[in-house]
Amino acid sequence: MREPVELRRQRILSVVQSRGAVKVSVLAAELDVSVVTIRRDVEELTRVGRLRRGHGVARPVVDAPEPSTVPAARTEEPAGDGAAVALVVPERHSYLYETLHGARTVLEESGMRIALHIAPQSAGAERPLVERALADGARGLLIAPRWRNARSEELDYGWLAEVGVPTVLMERRPRPGSALHALDSVCSDHWYGTHLAVDHLVSLGHRRIILAARDDSPTARTIRTAFAEIAAARPEVEDWSIVLSSPAAVPGPGPQTPGAPAEAAPDPDPDGDATAVDLAALLRERGATAAVLHGDVDALMLVQRLAEGGVQVPRDCSVVAYDDVVAALGSTPLTAVAPPKAEIGRAAAELLLYRLAGTAGATGPVRRTELLPTLKIRGSAQLIPTPED
């Protein structure tokens, strides 16, 4: 499925607003779309007053202030190149771009210079970016590693624990007892978000529920584990199952140890496979009346596929999406669990500034903050009539 136009334009805004002037050719390369498409997007965003454009360049509506006008940062050192905070997020990840926006707002208000680094999809891409940022003088780090599988996560633990500057993980919760357990982190409570989805469907009378979810990120793995635990513990849920939401939603091989045999991608789920998800057939087979779908783009695709199979949402199947980045943009706007994406970024930036503020902050106890998602009701889930009705 082609990326929704509004989502792509939001990504363009994210990059331009974070960096200032950006060449159209650079945007096209980073977003993996044609220069012609990006130029059209920039023209439309300019027309509605969200960007300015020059000769081959997209600019924010309000230019960043000159260094001489930047207020002093809330640190013991003056703002400048040495007072930069490095932000590292994966490319093509609209969910975390919203988190980035939240962090950016706090850091800019503090007068802190931001150095944004977009990690490509290759395994182990974050480490060289962090090393480069530190060599350039970054005094702090906000990072959301991709961590497509458990191995890539484990291999990042050692070097991230020894970065040497205040660091806050965004929307990531390392394995308990690992080298990063004692690292500051700010994360959504995805167990609670999954609970909201299941509880909403159960309250509408649904007793057979399917989770169609990704399996290629820490968030995806948490949602899958939480759904199994919650569904199994709810006496009202008579039957439940978990399948992949997309054939591409599996974890790829992690970084390889020199001389070691290549690592194969694990089977993501004993009940799933790597083929297109025939959710309509599975609903009929299991007698399910509802589904939780993660993430938004996969959810919209699955709803389209349901319609092609003669299953209408919400008439024949109630749906709750998870992420709420573009869930509201479908032909059927989807009820969705909305993690507090921007608030995660704001809280992470505030925590990092606290660490940078002085000796007392630097030596305070480690903080592992969780923020609760909310449920946005849009009508893609409906009440199941009782026999008395």
Side-chain angles (χ1 to χ4, degrees), residues 51 68 90 122 181 187 208 213 253 289 308 354:
L51 282 183
S68 60
S122 56
H181 190 117
C187 185
R208 293 175 172 268
T289 59
E308 293 166 1
Y354 171 68

Side-chain angles (χ1 to χ4, degrees), residues 115 126 173 198 387:
E126 288 86 2
R173 180 73 76 230
V198 174

Side-chain angles (χ1 to χ4, degrees), residues 71-323:
R74 292 184 301 201
T75 66
E76 294 183 336
E77 300 179 20
D81 288 347
V85 163
L87 274 76
V88 180
V89 295
E91 69 170 331
R92 300 179 67 86
H93 204 307
S94 55
Y95 178 108
L96 287 172
Y97 284 175
E98 290 194 36
T99 300
L100 182 155
H101 275 309
R104 171 177 170 261
T105 300
V106 171
L107 294 173
E108 286 184 343
E109 288 176 354
S110 78
M112 188 71 69
R113 188 173 72 83
I114 301 167
L116 175 64
H117 298 269
I118 308 295
Q121 298 189 38
S122 56
E126 288 86 2
R127 184 171 185 174
L129 294 179
V130 171
E131 290 173 346
R132 185 185 313 159
L134 295 177
D136 289 341
R139 296 184 57 238
L141 172 64
L142 293 174
I143 183 169
R146 187 178 298 275
W147 287 350
R148 289 198 68 189
N149 58 28
R151 177 170 169 75
S152 64
E153 179 177 337
E154 292 281 348
L155 290 178
D156 277 349
Y157 284 174
W159 70 265
L160 258 179
E162 299 175 357
V163 164
V165 298
T167 299
V168 180
L169 286 170
M170 299 186 300
E171 204 60 290
R172 298 292 182 257
R173 180 73 76 230
R175 175 178 55 78
S178 70
L180 295 187
H181 190 117
L183 189 70
D184 287 325
S185 60
V186 180
C187 185
S188 298
D189 185 342
H190 293 300
W191 186 97
Y192 182 74
T194 307
H195 159 75
L196 289 176
V198 174
D199 191 63
H200 180 59
L201 292 171
V202 168
S203 73
L204 295 174
H206 297 280
R207 300 295 179 258
R208 293 175 172 268
I209 306 171
I210 290 171
L211 170 69
R214 304 189 66 85
D215 191 29
D216 58 357
S217 73
T219 297
R221 292 189 287 275
T222 300
I223 291 170
R224 294 165 71 88
T225 300
F227 180 84
E229 175 186 331
I230 293 166
R234 292 292 297 251
E236 306 98 325
V237 178
E238 299 170 2
D239 185 75
W240 59 271
S241 58
I242 301 173
V243 297
L244 282 175
S245 58
S246 164
V250 295
Q256 300 300 316
T257 302
E263 177 189 3
D267 182 4
D269 192 278
D271 296 325
D273 58 32
T275 60
V277 180
D278 188 347
L279 190 56
L282 185 62
L283 288 166
R284 287 190 290 268
E285 176 188 332
R286 303 299 288 255
T289 59
V292 180
L293 308 180
H294 170 253
D296 280 5
V297 172
D298 290 344
L300 294 172
M301 291 178 67
L302 287 172
V303 169
Q304 289 176 192
R305 221 173 282 145
L306 285 175
E308 293 166 1
V311 178
Q312 296 298 316
V313 174
R315 185 194 67 191
D316 305 314
C317 175
S318 290
V319 165
V320 176
Y322 200 107
D323 275 358

